[in-house]
Amino acid sequence: MGEDIRANVTIGASVIPVINKLQDILATVGGELSKISLPQVVVVGSQSSGKSSVLEALVGRDFLPRGCDICTRRPLVLMLENRARTPEDDGREWGEFRHLPGRRFHDFSKIRKEIQAETEKEAGFNKGVSDKHIRLKISSPNVLNMTLVDLPGITKVPVGDQPSDIEARIRRMIMSHITQENCIILAVSPANSDLATSDALQIAKEADPTGSRTIGVITKLDIMDRGTNACNFLLGKVVPLRLGYVGVVNRSQEDINKERGIQEALAYEEQFFRDHPVYNGLSDRCGIPQLAKKLNQILEQHIRTALPSLKAELNSYMALVARDLKVYGEVVQSEAEQGMMLLNIIKRYCEDFSAMVDGKGQEILTSQLYGGARIHYIFQSIFVKTLEDIDPCEDLTGEDIQIAIQNATGPRSAIFGPEVPFEVLVRRQISQLLDPCLQCLQFVYDELIKMSRTCESTDLQRFPFLQKHLKEVAGKFLRDAVRPAERMIENLIEMEMGYINSSHPQFISGSKAVELAMHQIKSSQENKDVERVPTTEKGQKSWTGRGRSVVNSVPNHGNHSHSNNDRPKSAGSSSSARTWGIPSIFGSKASSDESQLDKSPGETPHDVQRTPATVQLMEPPSILRPPEITENETVEMVATKILLQSYFDVVRKNIEDLVPKAIMHFLVNPAKTSLHNTFIQKLYRQDLFEVLLQEQDEVAAKRKRAREMFLVLQQTVQTIDEVESDMVSQSENASSTVDINTGLPRILEISSGSTQLPMVYISTVT
Ligand SMILES: Nc1nc2c(ncn2[C@@H]2O[C@H](COP(=O)(O)OP(=O)(O)OP(=O)(O)O)[C@@H](O)[C@H]2O)c(=O)[nH]1
């Protein structure tokens, strides 16, 4: 025990101030860091049990607002800091509030007023409570290093502005403090009430069921019922606590009213215990000095036990702060440093961008496609797949082809030759490929823009202007690169439309097409059920092997009874909308069937009156539809479709291959190779350094705070290391602290007979 005391004094002197400082800093920061639980002593008890009186006695000064009607309404964190006595130090004690940094209160009555004012500011004037801490540091050569927290007392009946659930609220507030494993609970119970049912001991037991970190304090021993005493309690016979009990006598209200000083009260207390027949045999458990000693001892012991885990926790937070510091970066002042930083950021940005495109990023995502893999997906799974699904004859009816053929033959009668209509139609179908190609380009552009946004390094985050400029330059670069890609794609489509290479090895020959057409017509005629083959027969296997039907429409030769109204709407309306030729007015075979002609109502052949003739011709209507088609024409039409499909396949393959190449060549690859140069040209200018490297306002403040935090953490860890190594050497020297005459540890002699130990300063304050 004796050796422990000596060891603990060493720990207390070195570790507690650092922990106090850490506590002070952590109180102002939010987030993860504020969750570090540091060793501290929390005072709990029912209202008016004497908590504040105990604290004042420990400090040895009058400074807490007290009076008949005044109670603790906000948690008060009291950091006692022992200041070493030096010849230069005048030894004056002072207090400093966290909310008033730099202002030292030497007059303790002003500290009381400030606590009162702060309480009223947060919790109002009428008994309301608040869980917002007031933090007060007391620096004195006469106090022991420790942090004490005074909490509002447990109350049952709401008064004043207190809400109806005041008891639950205060209990919650208390529990939030005392459930932390690093907290020592000072459970204050007044001796003039039933100790066995003490609120303080009950709530302490909830948070510390084993009683391993609870110290019982019994106040008001002077006003117990005559004939009773708290001896059994102090001995731990009623409610056992591993850390034991201390009995105290504080100033009564009358003493306070009469302005009796604390020193006088301490002297009275000493006298009281000395003279008391029961308590004088329990001197190690009675009196404020004993409490101070015990507390300091236990707190230090507690810190010692908590050191390894605290150190580990601090180290992990240090890593977090170091990471933050890295984000905030170094301050660069000189032009050379600025230039270097700018170059580094740009280089890093471009490297990240390239790596992302090439799939060589440091972090390879496994949850989703990312970077260049998305571009590949756009090319193969969106673009190529969509093109593969295009049916070139989908919106082309048999009648469309028939009209096109007849228009192409002009006034002559077609002998055979679907070449001209084929070329017209195939061009039209090829032109439809332009849109998906340009969309594909747009998608890739969007991807690159997204990538350029996500590859902003941590360095960049603190320079919003540079970020904005990089974004603008990269955006413009990519927009500019889109144009040649766009032109290339347009050219590719135009090239395909400009020359229909009917000698292409993959293109089916005319004779083969006719052969196939005849075969198809034959099998279609054989199938009596089929009067009219649907325009598109998806899912039907064809010679192309892609599930598209070669024959979209085979006219019905046997029955031409359908009128213009029966024709698919698209055929009728599209004839005027389509632009592949001047409507032919001569069919290869004139038809007298009026149902084949669009005759306007009221149209009469006026030549009849003018030129009397034996045979009169009917005037042609303004819109003419092709007359009934011949078998030859049917073959031509089906053959045209087969040719269309075949040639479209050739073009489709070219486009599927060349468009991604064009996009890579004109857009993606330059973004990887030339973006860096563009950045340098546009941004690496001395006159821009200052503007570009202007930090966000709060970054400087955050960096400062993170640095402070890092230093405190570092210092604390270092101190803990020193303390740990001291502890090792102390335990090695333990034998030398044993008195060879008595066999007792030397420290016991000191503590019983000497005032040299800093632990007992409180009791000797004058
Ligand atoms: N006679 C006597 N009176 C005491 C003793 N301890 C405290 N008192 C008186 O009890 C009253 C309440 O004391 P406080 O220290 O304010 O009690 P508290 O627990 O801090 O009260 P709250 O902050 O309101 O919860 C005061 O009038 C004190 O003077 C004691 O040991 N003996």
Side-chain angles (χ1 to χ4, degrees):
M1 171 77 176
E3 292 112 341
D4 283 347
I5 293 172
R6 179 175 280 181
N8 290 336
V9 170
T10 316
I11 297 168
S14 50
V15 174
I16 297 180
V18 185
I19 290 202
N20 277 352
K21 174 112 204 265
L22 194 62
Q23 235 149 14
D24 213 14
I25 291 176
L26 295 187
T28 62
V29 295
E32 287 297 296
L33 276 175
S34 61
K35 291 185 197 144
I36 296 183
S37 122
L38 296 171
Q40 58 186 10
V41 179
V42 176
V43 189
V44 299
S46 54
Q47 218 169 57
S48 297
S49 53
K51 300 180 295 297
S52 305
S53 303
V54 169
L55 282 185
E56 277 192 332
L58 284 171
V59 177
R61 297 294 295 254
D62 253 312
F63 67 100
L64 293 174
R66 286 191 306 106
C68 294
D69 238 7
I70 298 168
C71 56
T72 309
R73 299 193 283 132
R74 275 179 72 178
L76 173 74
V77 180
L78 196 60
M79 285 172 286
L80 304 185
E81 213 172 78
N82 179 270
R83 207 168 71 235
R85 289 172 194 266
T86 61
E88 303 81 50
D89 192 338
D90 60 5
R92 284 172 79 198
E93 300 171 310
W94 48 263
E96 186 184 340
F97 288 96
R98 176 79 213 172
H99 62 270
L100 295 171
R103 185 168 154 201
R104 289 183 177 178
F105 287 73
H106 290 99
D107 181 348
F108 277 62
S109 65
K110 289 195 176 149
I111 291 184
R112 178 186 306 126
K113 283 188 189 139
E114 183 55 36
I115 294 176
Q116 214 158 340
E118 264 299 296
T119 302
E120 284 164 2
K121 207 160 100 185
E122 261 323 302
F125 292 86
N126 199 6
K127 315 269 185 205
V129 291
S130 155
D131 56 5
K132 218 167 147 192
H133 291 156
I134 297 175
R135 304 184 75 84
L136 170 64
K137 178 164 82 187
I138 294 203
S139 169
S140 160
N142 306 317
V143 291
L144 288 178
N145 288 313
M146 64 178 102
T147 298
L148 301 156
V149 184
D150 189 14
L151 294 174
I154 303 162
T155 180
K156 303 225 185 290
V157 186
V159 289
D161 285 343
Q162 291 176 344
S164 55
D165 62 344
I166 185 75
E167 185 185 355
R169 277 189 194 209
I170 291 179
R171 276 181 182 276
R172 265 202 304 276
M173 197 191 298
I174 294 174
M175 286 304 273
S176 74
H177 285 83
I178 64 174
T179 44
Q180 292 178 21
E181 280 301 313
N182 264 347
C183 157
I184 292 171
I185 307 166
L186 208 59
V188 178
S189 316
N192 60 345
S193 66
D194 186 3
L195 284 170
T197 59
S198 148
D199 283 336
L201 291 172
Q202 269 176 18
I203 201 163
K205 195 162 184 202
E206 269 180 55
D208 173 29
T210 58
S212 57
R213 50 189 181 87
T214 305
I215 304 173
V217 178
I218 300 174
T219 57
K220 307 193 183 181
L221 289 175
D222 57 322
I223 51 171
M224 284 185 82
D225 245 6
R226 278 205 204 139
T228 62
N229 65 63
C231 181
N232 282 344
F233 249 96
L234 291 174
L235 290 169
K237 288 184 181 165
V238 186
V239 181
L241 287 176
R242 279 203 222 158
L243 300 180
Y245 287 84
V246 179
V248 297
V249 172
N250 297 310
R251 289 176 301 168
S252 66
Q253 191 57 46
E254 193 187 0
D255 293 336
I256 294 165
N257 295 346
K258 287 185 179 164
E259 296 186 356
R260 223 168 128 193
I262 285 195
Q263 285 71 39
E264 206 182 324
L266 286 170
Y268 170 77
E269 185 195 44
E270 198 187 342
Q271 181 77 33
F272 175 86
F273 286 123
R274 201 181 318 123
D275 295 348
H276 200 284
V278 174
Y279 301 129
N280 75 358
L282 302 170
S283 58
D284 60 329
R285 289 154 209 253
C286 291
I288 287 290
Q290 284 302 325
L291 177 62
K293 188 166 143 184
K294 196 177 181 96
L295 258 183
N296 180 264
Q297 213 174 305
I298 290 169
L299 182 60
E300 290 177 354
Q301 178 63 44
H302 189 69
I303 290 177
R304 183 152 72 155
T305 326
L307 280 186
S309 62
L310 179 65
K311 197 172 110 179
E313 205 178 353
L314 293 174
N315 271 328
S316 67
Y317 280 111
M318 220 155 85
L320 281 182
V321 180
R323 194 195 60 194
D324 285 351
L325 268 175
K326 207 172 160 212
V327 173
Y328 305 138
E330 288 299 316
V331 189
V332 282
Q333 248 125 29
S334 75
E335 226 165 51
E337 280 176 333
Q338 288 176 333
M340 187 57 81
M341 167 153 283
L342 189 58
L343 281 178
N344 280 337
I345 293 177
I346 291 176
K347 183 167 161 266
R348 179 81 195 278
Y349 182 100
C350 295
E351 281 172 359
D352 286 356
F353 183 82
S354 290
M356 215 181 286
V357 175
D358 292 339
K360 294 194 178 115
Q362 285 174 345
E363 289 170 38
I364 299 287
L365 288 182
T366 50
S367 57
Q368 54 172 285
L369 292 184
Y370 165 82
R374 287 181 65 93
I375 294 181
H376 179 264
Y377 183 88
I378 291 170
F379 286 156
Q380 297 308 321
S381 303
I382 299 179
F383 176 66
V384 170
K385 193 168 182 306
T386 309
L387 257 55
E388 285 293 314
D389 286 343
I390 293 177
D391 178 354
C393 297
E394 188 168 14
D395 60 347
L396 217 53
T397 64
E399 194 184 42
D400 290 342
I401 297 173
Q402 191 191 344
I403 291 172
I405 293 171
Q406 291 193 7
N407 285 337
T409 52
R412 298 173 306 281
S413 182
I415 302 164
F416 192 82
E419 197 166 319
V420 178
F422 157 72
E423 285 209 4
V424 172
L425 290 174
V426 87
R427 266 193 208 105
R428 192 185 73 146
Q429 302 310 88
I430 294 171
S431 73
Q432 286 173 7
L433 289 175
L434 182 62
D435 275 353
C437 294
L438 294 178
Q439 269 177 45
C440 174
L441 172 63
Q442 178 67 38
F443 287 169
V444 175
Y445 165 79
D446 290 346
E447 277 308 316
L448 291 174
I449 289 283
K450 254 191 259 166
M451 281 187 231
S452 72
R453 304 268 152 92
T454 47
C455 66
E456 289 167 357
S457 64
T458 44
D459 291 347
L460 190 54
Q461 284 163 20
R462 64 184 168 125
F463 301 121
F465 290 100
L466 179 57
Q467 219 169 358
K468 183 171 158 269
H469 279 76
L470 282 177
K471 214 179 267 181
E472 278 170 12
V473 174
K476 182 163 183 334
F477 178 91
L478 293 173
R479 274 196 306 280
D480 288 349
V482 159
R483 258 171 242 136
E486 205 172 62
R487 269 197 301 276
M488 185 68 207
I489 290 170
E490 284 163 357
N491 283 340
L492 284 174
I493 300 291
E494 277 168 24
M495 278 157 57
E496 293 290 355
M497 286 164 64
Y499 176 60
I500 306 300
N501 179 13
S502 50
S503 311
H504 194 282
Q506 258 100 56
F507 180 49
I508 191 169
S509 66
S511 53
K512 178 82 182 159
V514 172
E515 192 186 308
L516 271 168
M518 283 164 55
H519 175 75
Q520 282 176 10
I521 290 164
K522 194 167 161 236
S523 51
S524 137
Q525 276 169 345
E526 278 165 12
N527 184 359
K528 296 291 178 204
D529 295 340
V530 180
E531 278 194 323
R532 190 179 175 83
V533 178
T535 309
T536 305
E537 291 171 333
K538 289 206 174 192
Q540 183 185 324
K541 281 269 172 220
S542 69
W543 61 273
T544 59
R546 278 203 193 88
R548 289 186 294 271
S549 168
V550 174
V551 182
N552 283 349
S553 172
V554 177
N556 185 345
H557 298 283
N559 180 7
H560 294 292
S561 65
H562 64 273
S563 67
N564 285 343
N565 295 341
D566 295 333
R567 289 193 184 105
K569 210 169 174 63
S570 63
S573 59
S574 66
S575 63
S576 57
R578 295 194 197 290
T579 54
W580 62 71
I582 304 159
S584 165
I585 53 165
F586 291 103
S588 60
K589 191 173 93 179
S591 168
S592 59
D593 186 352
E594 280 202 11
S595 69
Q596 300 295 327
L597 307 171
D598 279 349
K599 187 181 167 195
S600 310
E603 271 183 281
T604 49
H606 49 81
D607 286 348
V608 175
Q609 290 164 352
R610 210 184 52 215
T611 321
T614 45
V615 179
Q616 284 187 0
L617 287 179
M618 192 190 285
E619 227 177 74
S622 56
I623 297 172
L624 275 175
R625 303 231 180 265
E628 188 179 308
I629 61 168
T630 63
E631 203 167 312
N632 265 355
E633 283 169 340
T634 307
V635 174
E636 277 177 18
M637 189 191 72
V638 177
T640 304
K641 277 199 167 191
I642 292 170
L643 292 172
L644 263 179
Q645 283 279 17
S646 171
Y647 196 78
F648 189 81
D649 281 341
V650 172
V651 176
R652 181 194 342 243
K653 281 275 162 269
N654 290 346
I655 296 298
E656 282 173 0
D657 183 43
L658 289 175
V659 165
K661 283 180 178 166
I663 295 175
M664 286 305 288
H665 178 73
F666 288 100
L667 177 63
V668 182
N669 293 342
K672 279 196 313 175
T673 53
S674 312
L675 194 55
H676 184 262
N677 281 351
T678 313
F679 280 143
I680 299 290
Q681 274 167 20
K682 304 271 180 208
L683 302 177
Y684 189 72
R685 289 186 1 220
Q686 275 181 2
D687 56 325
L688 282 180
F689 287 177
E690 203 67 44
V691 181
L692 294 178
L693 296 178
Q694 206 176 313
E695 285 187 335
Q696 262 173 331
D697 288 345
E698 76 255 37
V699 170
K702 281 186 183 163
R703 183 193 297 115
K704 187 166 168 268
R705 207 147 93 187
R707 264 198 199 144
E708 276 172 16
M709 183 78 66
F710 189 79
L711 283 179
V712 173
L713 287 166
Q714 207 176 29
Q715 191 188 340
T716 314
V717 170
Q718 205 175 321
T719 312
I720 290 175
D721 283 340
E722 284 164 17
V723 171
E724 278 176 340
S725 64
D726 278 359
M727 273 162 28
V728 173
S729 53
Q730 273 166 16
S731 63
E732 280 166 6
N733 295 336
S735 56
S736 64
T737 61
V738 177
D739 190 305
I740 47 162
N741 295 321
T742 61
L744 289 171
R746 286 179 206 279
I747 194 76
L748 287 186
E749 289 173 61
I750 299 166
S751 60
S752 56
S754 158
T755 52
Q756 285 172 11
L757 277 177
M759 278 179 218
V760 289
Y761 282 153
I762 284 179
S763 62
T764 56
V765 171
T766 52

